[in-house]
Amino acid sequence: MNKDFMAALDELCKDKNIEKDVILEALEKALVKSYQKNYDNQENVDVVIDHETGEIGVFALREVVDEVEDKVSQISLKDAKEVDPTLSIGDVARIKLVPKNFGRVAAQTARNIVIQKIRDAQRETLFGDYLDRENELITGSIQRQDKYNVYVNLDKIEGIVPLKEQVPNEVYAPNERMKFLIKEVRNSGKDPQIVLSRASENLVVRLFELEVPEITDGIIEIYSIAREAGSRTKMSVYSNDETIDAVGACIGYKGARVNSIVESLQGEKIDIINYSKDAETFISNALSPADIIKVLINEKNRQSLVVVDDSQLSLAIGKEGQNARLAARLTGWKIDIKSELEFDSLSQEEIDDILGLNNEEEIIENNDEVSDESLAESAADAEEDIVTEEANTDLEESDENEADEEDFLENLDQADESLEN
């Protein structure tokens, strides 16, 4: 360890953005272990490195005593005075050691520590860089794929797309560049693990933010989104500026904006609808592209009954119920769809049942019954508590009158036994 080494260490710390003191403190601790290991010495030692010159000092730490019983950990007052005249009984003497060939041991230890600290610093830097980017878009190229994961080259680090974050019908061809959502950043034992997603709803949100400047500027806002990855997405939007059409802005001139996103999602269909504070209008919009005749709602239970033309029933429900399912997730309402013919055949009681109105009355009646029973039980319990409390009070008074010194000592003994147990 010399000035050349310290100068090189300074340059390395600047280049790798590592604190020099962190490396030297770690080196001091490592040298203590190296000394004990290489010199088979169990004495208590301290290693100090001059942060300017790099000079290493190795010191044995021994307690100052009148009579030495252990030569490894103790030193007599007479000998301690020779080291430092100010020392007295009970102090710790620092005796400088000059181990043979310790420079070689120190150099090897220093090399290992510096390498390890550089790796740690790089890992922490990478972790910090990507931790701040959680839930953001990132572009990477596909490296390889196994049974469970897709591995993506992100330039500085490798990301993985686990099975649950993959889209079933997507093809991940080697060297193909794709956009991903940074789902999670994990600080693992080696490099940070970057978990990516192609199936997240937020991926679609970020793609629209990238393509539609009005969303980035806050003029247009995305209210809700529902997605079945690889198949279809429904998204509701609204405009904070009455002069700007939210849906039109998201679609773009001749569909340029939305088509770019569809291409990024490998052909996934996207429905963009206008959000409305009016629940009936919102539900009707959510079932697009079907034409809706009317919507009946139960605001309390968030249940709705939608009536469509007979020819629109299959369109409103969608293939395997997808359109209705996504509309329900988008709005947060339970949606029951009936054709006009089916609706006309329903009685008022059946309509109320679909909307959950009959259940509300049953719940209220049951709650009333429970309340009456609870009041009766509470009154009985209260009366019983009063009687019990009075009885306990009488017993306490009786016990206090009968207590004597022997009982007190017996209780004290029992407490001691409990503490011992």
Side-chain angles (χ1 to χ4, degrees):
M1 298 279 282
N2 52 36
K3 289 184 178 180
D4 290 339
F5 173 82
M6 296 304 288
L9 184 61
D10 284 333
E11 289 298 320
L12 190 64
C13 289
K14 289 178 183 176
D15 184 51
K16 300 294 183 181
N17 195 26
I18 310 170
E19 290 290 336
K20 178 182 171 182
D21 291 346
V22 172
I23 291 181
L24 292 177
E25 286 173 12
L27 184 53
E28 288 172 348
K29 293 177 182 178
L31 286 174
V32 170
K33 293 182 180 179
S34 294
Y35 175 84
Q36 293 173 340
K37 178 182 177 182
N38 286 277
Y39 296 91
D40 194 24
N41 198 323
Q42 297 302 312
E43 65 183 332
N44 189 16
V45 297
D46 184 29
V47 174
V48 179
I49 301 174
D50 189 306
H51 288 203
E52 297 299 325
T53 65
E55 183 181 351
I56 300 174
V58 183
F59 300 90
L61 305 180
R62 295 178 186 172
E63 184 184 1
V64 180
V65 295
D66 274 329
E67 186 177 345
V68 176
E69 297 178 357
D70 182 1
K71 291 182 179 180
V72 174
S73 61
Q74 297 176 338
I75 187 173
S76 67
L77 181 60
K78 179 183 176 182
D79 292 339
K81 290 286 186 181
E82 294 177 4
V83 176
D84 184 351
T86 64
L87 292 173
S88 58
I89 299 297
D91 290 340
V92 175
R94 295 173 61 85
I95 304 166
K96 190 167 185 176
L97 302 175
V98 186
K100 188 177 179 181
N101 296 326
F102 189 68
R104 178 183 56 79
V105 174
Q108 183 63 32
T109 304
R111 178 180 177 275
N112 295 336
I113 288 293
V114 169
I115 291 172
Q116 183 60 47
K117 285 298 174 183
I118 288 172
R119 288 174 180 168
D120 291 345
Q122 288 175 329
R123 184 172 63 247
E124 288 299 322
T125 300
L126 276 174
F127 178 71
D129 288 346
Y130 285 96
L131 182 64
D132 294 338
R133 297 183 63 188
E134 274 191 6
N135 214 29
E136 286 186 10
L137 272 184
I138 192 169
T139 302
S141 57
I142 307 298
Q143 284 187 317
R144 65 190 188 281
Q145 182 177 8
D146 59 24
K147 188 176 179 181
Y148 301 103
N149 300 312
V150 176
Y151 298 90
V152 183
N153 180 11
L154 302 174
D155 294 332
K156 291 182 179 180
I157 197 170
E158 185 180 72
I160 64 165
V161 187
L163 199 60
K164 67 177 182 178
E165 299 298 340
Q166 298 171 27
V167 178
N169 58 347
E170 277 191 341
V171 178
Y172 303 105
N175 299 320
E176 181 183 2
R177 290 187 68 78
M178 300 179 73
K179 290 183 173 67
F180 301 88
L181 184 84
I182 300 177
K183 185 80 173 181
E184 184 183 358
V185 181
R186 301 170 184 164
N187 196 0
S188 58
K190 295 182 180 179
D191 289 335
Q193 192 175 55
I194 314 299
V195 181
L196 306 173
S197 175
R198 284 284 296 175
S200 172
E201 293 175 348
N202 282 333
L203 174 65
V204 182
V205 173
R206 296 292 172 260
L207 286 171
F208 269 98
E209 289 175 348
L210 189 66
E211 289 291 334
V212 184
E214 291 86 349
I215 294 177
T216 308
D217 295 339
I219 299 171
I220 293 173
E221 295 189 37
I222 298 172
Y223 178 77
S224 60
I225 186 168
R227 184 185 184 202
E228 292 189 357
S231 179
R232 195 182 200 112
T233 291
K234 277 184 180 287
M235 185 174 75
S236 65
V237 295
Y238 65 93
S239 175
N240 292 316
D241 187 339
E242 294 180 357
T243 63
I244 295 177
D245 175 21
V247 174
C250 291
I251 293 173
Y253 180 66
K254 293 184 178 180
R257 290 175 174 176
V258 74
N259 286 340
S260 175
I261 295 170
V262 168
E263 186 179 345
S264 296
L265 298 175
Q266 297 192 0
E268 183 175 315
K269 295 177 183 177
I270 300 177
D271 295 339
I272 307 170
I273 65 126
N274 279 311
Y275 164 71
S276 175
K277 292 181 180 179
D278 179 66
E280 296 176 20
T281 305
F282 189 27
I283 292 168
S284 180
N285 292 344
L287 288 168
S288 172
D291 294 326
I292 309 302
I293 294 175
K294 63 178 173 181
V295 179
L296 303 177
I297 64 169
N298 178 359
E299 191 81 42
K300 190 171 184 179
N301 288 351
R302 296 183 71 82
Q303 291 180 235
S304 65
L305 173 59
V306 178
V307 183
V308 299
D309 188 86
D310 295 356
S311 62
Q312 296 281 301
L313 182 61
S314 59
L315 186 62
I317 294 173
K319 186 180 179 181
E320 297 178 352
Q322 185 186 66
N323 195 55
R325 188 165 58 248
L326 287 174
R329 285 168 51 192
L330 186 73
T331 60
W333 283 70
K334 182 179 178 182
I335 301 174
D336 200 317
I337 303 172
K338 300 290 183 185
S339 68
E340 193 172 16
L341 187 63
E342 289 174 326
F343 179 75
D344 291 340
S345 66
L346 294 175
S347 66
Q348 187 59 47
E349 186 178 352
E350 288 173 324
I351 293 172
D352 290 345
D353 191 47
I354 292 171
L355 293 173
L357 295 171
N358 294 334
N359 292 338
E360 281 184 17
E361 293 175 0
E362 290 176 8
I363 291 169
I364 291 170
E365 289 176 2
N366 290 337
N367 285 342
D368 287 343
E369 291 176 6
V370 170
S371 298
D372 291 341
E373 291 175 4
S374 300
L375 285 171
E377 289 175 3
S378 298
D381 290 342
E383 186 176 349
E384 184 178 343
D385 288 343
I386 292 170
V387 172
T388 305
E389 188 176 347
E390 290 176 351
N392 288 338
T393 303
D394 293 341
L395 285 171
E396 287 173 4
E397 291 175 354
S398 176
D399 288 341
E400 288 175 2
N401 293 333
E402 293 177 1
D404 56 22
E405 185 178 356
E406 290 181 5
D407 289 337
F408 173 75
L409 293 173
E410 184 179 350
N411 289 336
L412 187 61
D413 290 339
Q414 288 176 357
D416 289 339
E417 289 177 9
S418 298
L419 287 172
E420 289 175 2
N421 293 332

